[in-house]
């Protein structure tokens, strides 16, 4: 689930980015319709200093006609103060009734009712961003007239490349690409590492198993003992919800728990009768011998403790140190239970294997004395649900 969340996010993000690009590119233009005051004095919009568009109209010549009408030459400018080109513009100026246009230049002009209409020519149909366009008119009015209100309309050409949203989308695209490349590289490295780890694990398993087979071969009655104990221990670790890496670690430690027996004479290991006190001490010394043998084996943490302490008892009456309870390393407490179960369920040179009910009785009766009571219950469950039978079947 944790791996799927980044994958889902990485899938959704490009969809959002693409949708953003489609939206912003689809906005070709914006209709503009504004009312302005004449800005002939300072060439800035008099009604709104933040306006994107302004128009200035000034009188450069003025004369009175014999018929009482007033003639004037008007010079005008359209200012585009925005970041976008302005096209299809039209300027409308209220004029007195009876006014008429005599001539015009740099644009077209005519009077429609009570409005002077000014339109662009082909060559000046667009007022570029941060630029201006001029126009000129000779207009006759019935009396003196001063331009005041001005109406302007047109279309603002939306340049999406200069939009902040476009910049954000580009940045998001670059960031997404970088993250994707990092994820691909990480996925490749993780896969390569996992392949290498599995290969190394196979080599370790084969090497340890081969060495363990030499140990088990010393006692024909305990053939496969170390492998079964390792499988029991790994299953207990799984049921205790240990991470997979710790489960593998415990498996290797359990495989090597009896490594010290390689120094035990075969005559003592295979003796059918009761052991003498000295012989028992020799048998028990396989824990310290194993611990000494594994001192240089530093690649697996806990492997020394597994060999050294797997015969310690929870009540402190075990060997070789007589430590008790939680002072016994966790892995050693687990191996102790698995080792005891396999000893009871296997044929030995001095007795036949115990039956199922007797083994369960021994495990329950020794819970809290020989065995950790919080761990032995997992071994009992493995007997009840048949897991131990699966291990025995695989071992055969």
């Amino acid at each position: 689930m944790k791996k799927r969340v980044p994958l889902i996010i990485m899938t959704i993000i490009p969809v959002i980015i693409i949708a953003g690009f489609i939206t912003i590119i689809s906005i070709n233009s914006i209709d503009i319709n504004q009312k302005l005051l004449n800005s002939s004095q300072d060439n800035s919009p008099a009604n709104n200093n933040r306006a994107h568009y302004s128009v200035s109209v000034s009188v450069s010549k003025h004369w009175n006609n014999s018929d009482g009408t007033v003639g004037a030459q008007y010079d005008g400018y359209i200012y585009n103060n925005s970041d976008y080109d302005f096209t299809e513009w039209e300027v409308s100026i209220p004029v007195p009734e009876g006014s008429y246009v005599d001539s015009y230049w740099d644009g077209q002009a005519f009077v429609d009712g009570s409005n002077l209409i000014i339109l662009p020519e082909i060559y000046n149909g667009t007022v570029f961003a941060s630029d201006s366009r001029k126009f000129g008119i000779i207009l006759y009015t019935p009396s003196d007239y001063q331009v005041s209100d001005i109406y302007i309309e047109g279309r603002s050409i939306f340049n999406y490349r200069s939009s902040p949203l476009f910049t954000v989308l580009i940045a998001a695209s670059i960031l997404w690409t970088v993250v994707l490349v990092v994820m691909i590289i990480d996925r490749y490295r993780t896969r390569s590492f996992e392949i290498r780890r599995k290969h190394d694990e196979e080599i370790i398993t084969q090497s340890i198993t081969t060495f363990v087979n030499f140990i088990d071969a010393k006692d024909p009655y305990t053939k496969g003992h170390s492998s079964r104990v390792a499988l029991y221990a790994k299953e207990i670790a799984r049921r205790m919800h240990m991470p997979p890496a710790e489960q593998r670690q415990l498996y290797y430690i359990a495989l090597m728990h009896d490594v010290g027996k390689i120094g035990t004479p075969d005559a003592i290991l295979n003796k059918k009768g009761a052991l003498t006190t000295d012989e028992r001490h020799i048998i028990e010394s396989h824990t310290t011998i194993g611990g000494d043998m594994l001192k240089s084996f530093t690649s697996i943490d806990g492997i020394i403790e597994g060999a050294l302490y797997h015969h310690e008892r929870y009540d402190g009456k075990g060997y070789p140190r007589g430590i008790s309870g939680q002072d016994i390393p966790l892995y050693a407490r687990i191996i102790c239970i698995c080792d005891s179960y396999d000893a009871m369920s296997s044929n030995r040179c001095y007795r036949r294997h115990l039956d199922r009910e007797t083994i369960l009785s021994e495990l329950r009766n020794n819970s809290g004395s020989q065995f950790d009571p919080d761990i032995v219950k997992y071994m009992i469950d493995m007997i009840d649900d048949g897991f131990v039978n699966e291990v025995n079947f695989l071992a055969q």
Side-chain angles (χ1 to χ4, degrees), residues 98-133:
S99 299
Y100 63 93
V101 174
D102 178 74
S103 59
Y104 51 81
W105 55 94
D106 293 329
Q108 306 174 54
F110 59 91
V111 175
D112 182 12
S114 61
N115 290 304
L116 170 64
I117 306 300
I118 304 166
L119 300 174
E121 295 284 5
I122 296 176
Y123 62 84
N124 68 349
T126 299
V127 184
F128 298 110
S130 302
D131 200 356
S132 63
R133 289 292 184 186

Side-chain angles (χ1 to χ4, degrees), residues 211 259-263 288-297 304:
F211 185 69
V259 65
K261 284 187 177 180
I262 201 167
T288 53
I289 292 173
D292 290 338
M293 290 178 63
L294 295 172
K295 281 183 178 179
S296 60
F297 202 131
I304 297 174

Side-chain angles (χ1 to χ4, degrees), residues 114-347:
S114 61
N115 290 304
L116 170 64
I117 306 300
I118 304 166
L119 300 174
E121 295 284 5
I122 296 176
Y123 62 84
N124 68 349
T126 299
V127 184
F128 298 110
S130 302
D131 200 356
S132 63
R133 289 292 184 186
K134 68 178 181 176
F135 57 86
I137 305 165
I138 293 179
L139 177 71
Y140 286 93
T141 58
S143 59
D144 286 337
Y145 165 72
Q146 185 174 0
V147 176
S148 178
D149 294 341
I150 298 175
Y151 296 86
I152 185 171
E153 60 181 78
R155 300 179 69 84
S156 179
I157 306 301
F158 184 70
N159 182 4
Y160 63 86
R161 288 186 176 85
S162 62
S163 169
L165 179 58
F166 181 78
T167 304
V168 170
L169 291 172
I170 290 294
S173 301
I174 295 173
L175 179 62
W176 178 83
T177 303
V178 171
V179 173
L180 179 63
V181 171
V182 171
M183 288 182 65
I184 292 173
I185 294 174
D186 181 68
R187 182 70 61 87
Y188 173 77
R189 288 180 175 177
T190 301
R191 186 175 180 182
S192 300
F193 174 78
E194 186 64 19
I195 293 173
R196 187 167 62 251
R197 186 194 64 77
K198 288 183 178 180
H199 178 67
D200 294 343
E201 185 176 309
E202 289 177 1
I203 293 175
I204 293 173
T205 302
Q206 291 174 6
S207 300
I208 292 178
T209 301
T210 300
F211 185 69
V212 166
N213 288 337
F214 284 120
I215 300 170
D216 288 352
K218 288 174 64 65
D219 184 356
Y221 289 95
T222 60
K223 185 178 180 180
H225 165 73
S226 298
S227 297
R228 291 192 299 270
V229 169
L231 290 172
Y232 298 147
K234 184 179 180 181
E235 178 63 13
I236 288 178
R238 187 189 70 80
R239 297 189 183 204
M240 292 176 67
H241 305 292
M242 290 186 186
E246 290 189 25
Q247 296 175 32
R248 290 192 299 269
Q249 181 180 353
L250 178 55
Y251 176 80
Y252 294 136
I253 293 172
L255 275 177
M256 298 290 283
H257 78 281
D258 270 344
V259 65
K261 284 187 177 180
I262 201 167
T264 304
D266 294 349
I268 297 177
L269 283 175
N270 299 320
K271 184 177 181 180
K272 295 183 178 181
L275 297 175
T276 65
T277 300
D278 290 340
E279 289 172 338
R280 181 165 297 280
H281 287 161
I282 292 174
I283 285 286
E284 292 177 355
S285 68
H286 81 276
T287 56
T288 53
I289 292 173
D292 290 338
M293 290 178 63
L294 295 172
K295 281 183 178 179
S296 60
F297 202 131
T298 58
S299 59
I300 299 178
D301 291 337
I303 197 167
I304 297 174
E305 290 78 5
L308 186 60
Y309 298 124
H310 69 277
H311 278 294
E312 296 288 359
R313 291 171 54 103
Y314 199 73
D315 58 9
K317 298 179 180 179
Y319 62 88
R321 303 287 170 78
I323 56 179
S324 63
Q326 302 297 313
D327 291 335
I328 305 171
L330 174 61
Y331 290 171
R333 279 179 274 147
I334 294 174
I335 295 172
C336 171
I337 296 169
C338 300
D339 184 56
S340 298
Y341 168 77
D342 194 70
M344 291 187 286
S345 62
S346 303
N347 291 324

Side-chain angles (χ1 to χ4, degrees), residues 1-15 176 179-180 183-184 187:
M1 182 64 183
K2 290 181 180 180
K3 291 183 179 180
R4 290 180 60 188
V5 172
L7 184 61
I8 293 173
I9 294 176
M10 289 298 292
T11 304
I12 293 175
I13 288 177
V15 174
W176 178 83
V179 173
L180 179 63
M183 288 182 65
I184 292 173
R187 182 70 61 87

